[in-house]
Amino acid sequence: MNYAEFCKEIEMEKAAAFRNAVESNKGSIKIKKEKKLSENLSRIFDATIELANEKGFQAMSMRDLSSKASLSLGALYSYFSSKDELLEMIQGYSLAMVSVILTDSIKKETDSSKKLERAIRTHVYITEYMQPWFYFSYMEAKNMDRPAQKRAIEGELFTEKIFSDIIESAVSGKKPGDHDPVMTASLIKAMLQDWYLKRWKYRKRKIGPDQFADFLISFIRSSIM
Amino acid sequence: MNYAEFCKEIEMEKAAAFRNAVESNKGSIKIKKEKKLSENLSRIFDATIELANEKGFQAMSMRDLSSKASLSLGALYSYFSSKDELLEMIQGYSLAMVSVILTDSIKKETDSSKKLERAIRTHVYITEYMQPWFYFSYMEAKNMDRPAQKRAIEGELFTEKIFSDIIESAVSGKKPGDHDPVMTASLIKAMLQDWYLKRWKYRKRKIGPDQFADFLISFIRSSIM
DNA sequence: GTCTATACATAGATAGAC
DNA sequence: GTCTATCTATGTATAGAC
């Protein structure tokens, strides 16, 4: 698998996750026509991501959003009931993406060393594909209300658990004594997050997702094996 | 060196960095009495860090700040000329801290493998000691104006360069072919930042700075050696 | 130096016409 | 479903008394 191949397979899952995000927020959405809803809401999402990643969600005004999304201020409130709710819809969307994609992806390998490699690669690719979304979720987590913050933490721990489980079985027996899969998984997560948090750096150095994944895999391999 | 020893040595440098931060902003500070200035300004800094790390700098109002710092709204503006300037004073302070401490610290070792270990350990310790400050600088960087953002980027690249230089000379000859000190330094930086960005996680797992530094050092050692 | 009072701008959200 | 107009709250920053 490389990034180009990954992209071809992802579109459907993205669309499914979007429909799911809409579904779980039906309560506060006043728009009834399916097509109009999905067209406009995804434009609203995109505009929000763009503005928030530029100056922060808090600093983005609803007027900024209304002009970037080409909808009036009043119309926006037919798609969500408050600015905070918008934040949480977007968070739910990207949280669902990473967990579904990652879980599906590792099922395709049986050997645990291959599983680890695939999990890392998939994580790099999905966060590359939706970089602004993940950047947004990471940076705005502390501005969310308590339940949404809890979901963010659970999301982090969920993906970390995927990694620590794989490492547990990959390393067992092979390395003497003191290995700690949970700590190792933490560090792996940190390096994976760097990929979507510091895009300016990797872009400047002309490092693409395939290259980053390759390097990361070999770095981790030589450390835990 | 362990964390407890580190703490004893740091106080003086912290005070010097604070005086320096005051000095570089004399222009917009109206308070003339040295003692009052440093007492109140450091209370203002602390209150800002605390509020901003809780709900974001943008969301923190000057009224929040005035009540937490025990100064009236009007009085605050004798210590800085705008909310944005306050942000930048704090950023300058923590940027100066890490670069001075790190540069001094590695001078104490000659062997490049020891140098690497010491740089990592020192980075963990300084960011532990001033965790809320580093968290603040990281999270609020995108809300700063252009020049301040540039300083933040230069700060990141500066510490990364320290690491890549050490790795360059530590690894040269010892590892065949494909090592890439710059990429390795990037990953190390990412793991080091995790320490102050995800405190909730390490606290929950009862991992302290010494333990984290030990683990990180052994993880990196086995990867690059 | 610090306070209170207030100017002035802009925020999020709603009402009601179309 | 979308618009414009507007309500009300809150924001940063300043003026001037003490």
Side-chain angles (χ1 to χ4, degrees):
Chain A
M1 179 181 58
N2 63 26
Y3 182 59
E5 287 164 25
F6 176 86
C7 289
K8 283 183 216 150
E9 292 169 17
I10 196 73
E11 279 298 342
M12 276 190 343
E13 308 215 44
K14 193 182 175 189
F18 181 79
R19 279 194 303 276
N20 181 55
V22 170
E23 202 57 44
S24 4
N25 289 280
K26 270 284 188 273
S28 29
I29 299 176
K30 296 195 193 74
I31 309 298
K32 293 303 163 201
K33 289 197 179 147
E34 190 92 20
K35 197 182 163 208
K36 189 161 270 283
L37 169 58
S38 84
E39 271 175 20
N40 284 347
L41 189 59
S42 73
R43 222 173 48 249
I44 292 171
F45 279 6
D46 289 342
T48 305
I49 295 287
E50 198 171 322
L51 287 166
N53 286 358
E54 211 169 277
K55 52 161 116 171
F57 182 77
Q58 180 69 230
M60 170 198 86
S61 75
M62 296 305 281
R63 284 170 180 84
D64 294 338
L65 180 57
S66 109
S67 92
K68 171 130 355 202
S70 311
L71 273 170
S72 74
L73 196 50
L76 285 178
Y77 285 87
S78 307
Y79 292 83
F80 47 80
S81 64
S82 77
K83 198 184 173 189
D84 277 350
E85 199 188 67
L86 171 62
L87 181 67
E88 282 156 39
M89 284 169 76
I90 293 177
Q91 182 212 25
Y93 182 19
S94 44
L95 238 46
M97 276 301 277
V98 74
S99 77
V100 168
I101 303 280
L102 212 52
T103 312
D104 279 4
S105 174
I106 56 171
K107 282 186 194 147
K108 294 179 184 162
E109 306 280 355
T110 49
D111 175 58
S112 60
S113 170
K114 292 258 179 204
K115 256 193 159 67
L116 179 59
E117 176 170 341
R118 189 172 190 107
I120 292 168
R121 205 171 278 284
T122 304
H123 198 290
V124 173
Y125 293 165
I126 179 66
T127 57
E128 166 71 12
Y129 191 77
M130 297 182 68
Q131 187 269 339
W133 298 76
F134 288 99
Y135 183 87
F136 175 88
S137 293
Y138 190 99
M139 287 298 183
E140 303 299 343
K142 73 163 173 309
N143 305 326
M144 296 171 190
D145 65 10
R146 210 45 70 127
Q149 271 185 36
K150 224 187 140 207
R151 273 193 305 170
I153 287 179
E154 278 160 9
E156 163 110 12
L157 295 177
F158 176 81
T159 58
E160 223 184 83
K161 182 88 166 61
I162 290 180
F163 283 100
S164 64
D165 285 349
I166 300 174
I167 293 164
E168 178 74 63
S169 64
V171 174
S172 78
K174 291 192 186 161
K175 207 195 172 188
D178 73 332
H179 78 278
D180 179 341
V182 173
M183 268 299 284
T184 307
S186 265
L187 297 183
I188 292 176
K189 191 89 211 286
M191 294 186 282
L192 285 168
Q193 286 178 328
D194 208 52
W195 175 249
Y196 61 87
L197 294 174
K198 306 262 184 61
R199 275 312 285 288
W200 58 271
K201 202 163 73 179
Y202 297 107
R203 199 173 290 134
K204 206 175 80 174
R205 291 175 183 164
K206 303 208 196 313
I207 304 207
D210 289 307
Q211 219 178 331
F212 183 80
D214 289 345
F215 190 89
L216 190 49
I217 287 165
S218 89
F219 185 83
I220 292 167
R221 233 191 233 305
S222 40
S223 183
I224 66 179
M225 292 307 179
Chain B
M1 180 181 60
N2 63 26
Y3 183 58
E5 287 164 27
F6 176 87
C7 289
K8 282 182 217 152
E9 292 169 17
I10 196 72
E11 279 298 342
M12 276 190 341
E13 307 215 48
K14 194 183 175 187
F18 181 79
R19 279 195 303 277
N20 181 55
V22 170
E23 201 57 44
S24 4
N25 288 280
K26 270 282 187 271
S28 30
I29 298 176
K30 297 194 192 74
I31 309 298
K32 293 302 162 202
K33 288 194 180 153
E34 190 93 22
K35 196 180 163 211
K36 187 160 270 281
L37 170 57
S38 85
E39 272 175 20
N40 284 347
L41 189 57
S42 73
R43 222 172 50 248
I44 292 171
F45 280 5
D46 289 343
T48 305
I49 294 288
E50 197 171 323
L51 287 165
N53 287 358
E54 211 169 277
K55 51 160 116 173
F57 182 76
Q58 179 71 225
M60 169 199 87
S61 75
M62 297 306 279
R63 285 177 179 86
D64 293 339
L65 179 57
S66 111
S67 92
K68 170 133 349 202
S70 311
L71 273 170
S72 75
L73 199 49
L76 284 179
Y77 285 87
S78 307
Y79 292 84
F80 48 80
S81 65
S82 75
K83 197 185 172 188
D84 277 350
E85 200 189 66
L86 171 62
L87 181 66
E88 281 156 38
M89 284 170 77
I90 293 178
Q91 184 212 21
Y93 182 18
S94 43
L95 238 45
M97 276 299 277
V98 73
S99 78
V100 168
I101 304 281
L102 212 53
T103 312
D104 279 5
S105 174
I106 56 172
K107 282 185 194 146
K108 295 179 186 163
E109 306 281 355
T110 50
D111 175 59
S112 61
S113 170
K114 291 255 181 210
K115 256 193 159 68
L116 179 59
E117 176 168 343
R118 191 174 187 106
I120 292 169
R121 204 171 280 285
T122 304
H123 198 289
V124 172
Y125 293 165
I126 179 64
T127 57
E128 165 71 13
Y129 190 77
M130 297 182 67
Q131 187 270 338
W133 298 75
F134 289 99
Y135 184 86
F136 175 89
S137 292
Y138 190 98
M139 286 299 185
E140 305 299 343
K142 73 161 173 309
N143 305 326
M144 296 169 189
D145 65 10
R146 210 46 70 125
Q149 271 183 35
K150 221 185 144 209
R151 273 194 305 171
I153 286 179
E154 278 159 8
E156 162 109 12
L157 295 177
F158 176 81
T159 58
E160 222 182 85
K161 182 87 165 63
I162 291 180
F163 283 100
S164 63
D165 285 348
I166 300 175
I167 293 164
E168 178 74 61
S169 65
V171 173
S172 80
K174 290 193 188 160
K175 208 195 170 187
D178 73 331
H179 78 278
D180 178 342
V182 174
M183 267 299 285
T184 306
S186 264
L187 296 183
I188 292 176
K189 191 88 212 286
M191 294 186 282
L192 285 167
Q193 285 177 329
D194 208 53
W195 176 248
Y196 61 87
L197 294 174
K198 307 262 182 62
R199 275 313 284 288
W200 56 272
K201 201 162 73 178
Y202 297 107
R203 200 173 289 132
K204 206 176 78 175
R205 292 176 184 162
K206 302 205 197 315
I207 305 209
D210 289 306
Q211 217 178 330
F212 183 80
D214 289 345
F215 190 89
L216 190 48
I217 287 164
S218 88
F219 184 83
I220 291 166
R221 233 190 234 306
S222 41
S223 183
I224 66 178
M225 290 310 176

